[in-house]
Each structure stands twice: as C-alpha cells, then as structure tokens.
Amino acid sequence: MIAIRQFNQMTPQEYLEWEPTQEIRYEYIDGEVFAMTGGTKPHNRIAGNIYTSLDSHLQEGGCEVYIADVKVQASANGPYHYPDVVVTCDSRDQNSNQFVQYPCLIVEVLSPSTEAFDRGGKFARYRQMETLQEYVLIQSEQIGVECFRRNEEGLWVLYPYESGDTFTLSSVGLSLSVDAVYRQVRFESTETEAS
C-alpha cells in the first residue's frame, strides 16, 4: 500500500470519528492522516497467501487474523497503521471492532514507496508494543522474507529467508515455505510464476 499525506492536524479521537466515514483508508501518525492507496497484484497475492495460511492454522485456537482493512493502535494516542496482516491472541482485542491493540504478529508486504517507513519509523513504533513477538517483512518485487523476532532478552533478531527455505512463525506455531508465500505470484521483470 502507498501512503499519501492528507489534511491538517487531528487528535486521535477526531481521527477515530472521521476515518470510518471515508471511502478509503487512512493511517494516523502524530496528528497527520495519510491516505492508503491500492497495491499491486503481487502485493495482494502475497498478503492473501499469508492470510489464508494463518486463518486455516488458527481457526480452532482462539487467535484472530485480519488482512489489510483492520488497523493497529500502536499506543494510547496512536499512531494507527493498517498492516497487511495482523494476528492477535489477546482476549482484550475482542472488546474493539475498530482496531487491534495487542498483536502478537504483524506482516507487511513491502512496496517501493513504503519500504523505508515499514523498516524504520513503523517498526520503531511497533517494537514498543509489549505483546508483539514477530514482525515479518516480505518483498513484493523479488523473493525474500525477513522475520524479526523478539528474543528472551527483549532484543529483536533478524532471520532472513529465500526461495527453498521454510520458516516458522513462532508466535502462532506455524511453519511455512517461502515458495508457498509466493504461490501464483508473477513478478513484472521476469513474468514467471513462483512455484
């Protein structure tokens, strides 16, 4: 997704009242709102593949998985972000239909226009969330998965994966092959499908 800065300053409460009345989604960061525009077919397919695997795996366990249209409240006063996929296993999140506050897993599919922010400012805010255990970044223009996992000391450790690898989302106990994440994804430069 691509974020485009819009409008003047808002309070978190003004944003939460205003945004549901809009035709498109807006993220909220430090009083500013940013329009979220559409992504590419590879971006959509990758997010869909991750969501489908998680939804199937989590259907009996009390966890909830959401795709694209559910925002995450990173702190009491925002920011509010729309990750590509978010999982919560915290019963406190059942009290809100507007957003997730206690995620254990967040997945972002990288776009050229948002990659720097997803890796930098957004991840810095997400790292402050005590319940978040894993942050996964997935390339949309080539094959590559990066899983940042919080270790026992509270430090974030990077685990990179490529085609042929299998990785485990420890926060939810799911192992996936990188190739399954890229199932039916066609990259523009090669016009070939990933297996």
Side-chain angles (χ1 to χ4, degrees), residues 81-186:
H81 295 294
Y82 281 98
D84 290 303
V85 178
V86 61
V87 175
T88 178
C89 298
D90 195 304
S91 61
R92 293 173 290 180
D93 276 323
Q94 294 174 0
N95 298 325
S96 173
N97 283 333
Q98 249 187 324
F99 47 78
V100 169
Q101 290 179 286
Y102 307 101
C104 60
L105 169 65
I106 293 176
V107 178
E108 294 284 3
V109 180
L110 300 174
S111 301
S113 62
T114 62
E115 181 172 355
F117 183 60
D118 288 344
R119 291 181 179 284
K122 188 181 282 189
F123 187 28
R125 288 176 174 95
Y126 285 157
R127 285 194 306 263
Q128 304 305 311
M129 303 178 81
E130 291 181 11
T131 58
L132 187 64
Q133 298 169 36
E134 289 174 300
Y135 183 55
V136 180
L137 299 175
I138 304 175
Q139 296 287 336
S140 66
E141 295 188 332
Q142 62 185 11
I143 294 177
V145 175
E146 297 170 90
C147 180
F148 292 88
R149 190 172 296 124
R150 191 188 310 252
N151 68 16
E152 292 178 6
E153 291 80 36
L155 302 174
W156 288 89
V157 180
L158 167 63
Y159 298 87
Y161 302 96
E162 56 190 43
S163 183
D165 291 341
T166 296
F167 64 101
T168 300
L169 297 173
S170 302
S171 59
V172 293
L174 173 64
S175 292
L176 288 169
S177 73
V178 171
D179 296 328
V181 170
Y182 288 94
R183 183 182 59 80
Q184 295 183 326
V185 172
R186 198 174 347 188

